[in-house]
Amino acid sequence: MNYISNLTMKNFLTLAILVVVVACASDTEQKSLHDIGATYNAKTAYSKNFKSSVGEKTVRAFTVTVSESKLIDSLNPNVSSSNIALMVYENLSEKEKDHYTAINVNLLNLKKDSANYTFQKQTLSELSEKAATFNTFAESLIKGNFGKIDEIKDANEIKGTVAHGVKKLIAKNKKLHGDLIGYKRFGIAEARDERGSAYQFQGFLEFENGKLIPFLGVVDTALGKDKLIGFNIFDKS
């Protein structure tokens, strides 16, 4: 009887701790919710989940729910959910990255249909390294450091120099839309062909007058292969 009573008391204590954790988000977690809301013009909510079973690994997950977004509704949920999970992971402190075992993403479209995804910490850690290449590419466009693109590209996949052509393209759009002031990454897709697989990072270039131009960067999924193997700026001007 004492054994059962002790278990019951532990269950109540665990529940009480869980309620306290759900009620509080760290500054880094709040920042991720803010960034997701700004990127997708969406409402966000969160919860923290703890699950421990005898003989199984303990699961500690951060769950983000994203809703009321026209952009989310226009995208393949696999594309948006992976980016949202990575946005959460990238904002976490190192201590928080060690703490959580997974990031859950719940998408709720304007019709109230839902889609739920789980991303393991190791997967997000590896994806973050690939995203760093895309981020460098995007920041090179914004800073006008076009030579950097030649430095980070895979010379076997992207032949010759690209700096001059990209510089002309950005200059043309700056004349039309003002300064290039930032970018927003909104999706991550995985593409496969007979040669292998690659991550396609998708985003918008944001100009001073509010113009958004879609662009993407492609990086091999293989560990250690972090060069830019493809990119596109969808200029229709």
Side-chain angles (χ1 to χ4, degrees):
M1 290 295 294
N2 286 338
Y3 181 65
I4 295 175
S5 298
N6 286 338
L7 279 179
T8 303
M9 182 59 70
K10 288 179 180 178
N11 287 339
F12 277 117
L13 287 173
T14 300
L15 179 59
I17 292 170
L18 181 59
V19 170
V20 171
V21 170
V22 168
C24 180
S26 69
D27 289 344
T28 53
E29 291 163 346
Q30 289 286 5
K31 183 178 184 304
S32 69
L33 296 174
H34 175 271
D35 290 350
I36 292 164
T39 296
Y40 296 97
N41 191 23
K43 290 183 65 175
T44 60
Y46 80 96
S47 64
K48 301 182 185 183
N49 313 101
F50 177 85
K51 180 180 179 181
S52 181
S53 302
V54 176
E56 297 182 8
K57 289 185 177 181
T58 298
V59 176
R60 295 181 298 272
F62 185 91
T63 300
V64 58
T65 299
V66 185
S67 61
E68 299 184 25
S69 166
K70 292 182 180 179
L71 179 56
I72 289 288
D73 281 18
S74 71
L75 297 171
N76 184 311
N78 293 306
V79 170
S80 55
S81 61
S82 55
N83 187 60
I84 290 167
L86 185 59
M87 290 177 74
V88 173
Y89 180 82
E90 289 175 330
N91 274 305
L92 295 177
S93 67
E94 292 303 316
K95 184 177 180 180
E96 289 168 331
K97 288 177 182 177
D98 288 339
H99 172 74
Y100 289 117
T101 59
I103 305 296
N104 297 326
V105 178
N106 299 335
L107 301 178
L108 187 64
N109 68 18
L110 295 173
K111 296 180 180 179
K112 305 303 180 183
D113 299 321
S114 62
N116 306 317
Y117 300 85
T118 296
F119 298 87
Q120 299 302 317
K121 175 172 64 176
Q122 183 60 36
T123 299
L124 292 171
S125 176
E126 294 171 2
L127 189 56
S128 180
E129 295 180 8
K130 304 296 182 177
T133 300
F134 172 78
N135 295 342
T136 299
F137 168 55
E139 288 161 8
S140 298
L141 297 175
I142 294 164
K143 295 176 181 177
N145 186 8
F146 303 107
K148 185 68 176 179
I149 303 171
D150 281 329
E151 293 178 19
I152 65 172
K153 73 179 180 66
D154 186 324
N156 293 319
E157 297 291 341
I158 304 175
K159 306 292 185 181
T161 181
V162 299
H164 182 66
V166 174
K167 181 179 180 179
K168 285 180 62 178
L169 179 61
I170 296 300
K172 181 183 72 171
N173 279 284
K174 287 173 73 172
K175 286 183 179 180
L176 294 171
H177 310 300
D179 287 341
L180 177 55
I181 60 175
Y183 75 98
K184 295 180 179 179
R185 191 189 69 215
F186 62 77
I188 306 171
E190 186 172 350
R192 297 177 182 273
D193 61 20
E194 66 279 358
R195 299 171 59 192
S197 60
Y199 292 122
Q200 185 186 89
F201 296 90
Q202 305 170 4
F204 291 121
L205 293 173
E206 185 176 6
F207 287 82
E208 192 175 10
N209 70 350
K211 176 70 174 181
L212 299 176
I213 294 181
F215 77 119
L216 60 83
V218 184
V219 184
D220 200 304
T221 61
L223 292 176
K225 292 186 176 181
D226 300 329
K227 291 284 190 177
L228 189 72
I229 62 173
F231 69 90
N232 202 345
I233 300 170
F234 298 91
D235 174 52
K236 296 182 180 180
S237 58

